[in-house]
C-alpha cells in the first residue's frame, strides 16, 4: 500500500480508538451509534470488561468542555443500557482513568464498564 506523506501523517496521528471506530483495527464491537462505540477490552480485568468510547476525540475527561455535555451524558446512558441488555443485574463499576498517573494509557476518552466479580473499595 502506497501512502503519501500527508496520509501517513494522518494515520499516525489517529488514536488507537479512532482506528477501531474506522474499522482499521479489529475489535469485538458490542454496540455502536452516531456518538459512541462499545467494545470488549483486549485485556479484561473482570468477566465483563467493556470500553465505552465517544467517536469525538476527547483525549481525557479533563479536556472535555461544556460543548461535550451531551456526549458525556450519552456515554453514561449507554453504559446503563448495555449493562441492562447484558443482564449485569444492575451490578457494575464504571471507571475513567484521567492522566497517565491515574492509569490512563490510551489518550482518547473512554469509560471502563467492569462487572462479574466483587470489587474492592478504595480501588488500587
Ligand atoms: P486506560 O489504561 O487508558 O484507562 O485504558 C485503555 C484500555 O484499552 C486498557 O484496558 C487496554 O487493555 C485497552 N486496549 C489497549 N489496546 C487495545 C486494543 O487494541 N483493543 C482493545 N479492544 N482494547 C485495547
Amino acid at each position: 500500500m502506497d501512502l503519501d506523506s500527508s496520509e501517513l501523517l494522518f494515520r499516525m496521528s489517529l488514536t488507537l480508538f479512532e482506528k477501531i471506530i474506522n474499522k482499521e483495527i479489529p475489535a469485538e464491537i458490542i454496540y455502536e451509534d452516531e456518538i459512541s462505540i462499545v467494545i470488549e477490552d483486549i485485556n479484561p480485568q473482570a468477566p465483563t470488561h467493556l470500553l465505552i468510547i465517544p467517536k469525538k476525540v476527547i483525549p481525557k475527561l479533563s479536556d472535555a468542555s461544556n460543548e461535550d455535555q451531551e456526549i458525556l451524558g450519552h456515554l453514561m446512558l449507554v453504559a446503563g443500557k448495555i449493562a441492562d441488555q447484558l443482564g449485569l443485574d444492575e451490578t457494575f463499576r464504571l471507571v475513567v482513568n484521567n492522566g497517565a498517573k491515574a492509569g490512563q494509557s490510551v489518550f482518547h476518552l473512554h469509560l471502563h464498564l467492569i462487572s462479574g466479580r466483587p470489587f474492592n473499595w478504595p480501588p488500587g
Side-chain angles (χ1 to χ4, degrees):
M1 178 169 56
D2 278 342
L3 295 176
D4 67 26
S5 55
S6 60
E7 185 172 356
L8 192 61
L9 192 63
F10 173 71
R11 283 172 182 268
M12 284 171 62
S13 65
L14 292 180
T15 68
L16 169 67
F17 292 158
E18 278 179 286
K19 292 175 184 168
I20 287 175
I21 290 164
N22 293 343
K23 314 291 185 331
E24 291 179 33
I25 291 178
E28 287 297 324
I29 298 173
I30 301 297
Y31 172 83
E32 183 170 11
D33 60 29
E34 288 162 29
I35 297 175
S36 66
I37 190 168
V38 181
I39 63 171
E40 288 185 358
D41 196 292
I42 206 168
N43 182 23
Q45 302 301 311
T48 298
H49 187 168
L50 305 178
L51 301 173
I52 302 166
I53 305 165
K55 290 188 172 176
K56 176 180 175 182
V57 182
I58 301 168
K60 55 189 189 301
L61 184 63
S62 54
D63 296 318
S65 61
N66 287 347
E67 71 179 31
D68 299 317
Q69 184 167 335
E70 186 184 343
I71 294 173
L72 299 182
H74 186 80
L75 300 179
M76 301 287 275
L77 290 172
V78 165
K81 287 177 190 163
I82 294 292
D84 189 40
Q85 282 171 16
L86 294 180
L88 300 184
D89 198 25
E90 299 186 351
T91 303
F92 58 90
R93 182 174 285 187
L94 287 180
V95 175
V96 177
N97 296 322
N98 191 91
K101 288 181 184 165
Q104 185 174 5
S105 59
V106 178
F107 286 83
H108 180 146
L109 174 65
H110 49 283
L111 276 57
H112 295 260
L113 189 163
I114 49 178
S115 183
R117 66 169 173 82
F119 298 111
N120 297 326
W121 194 263

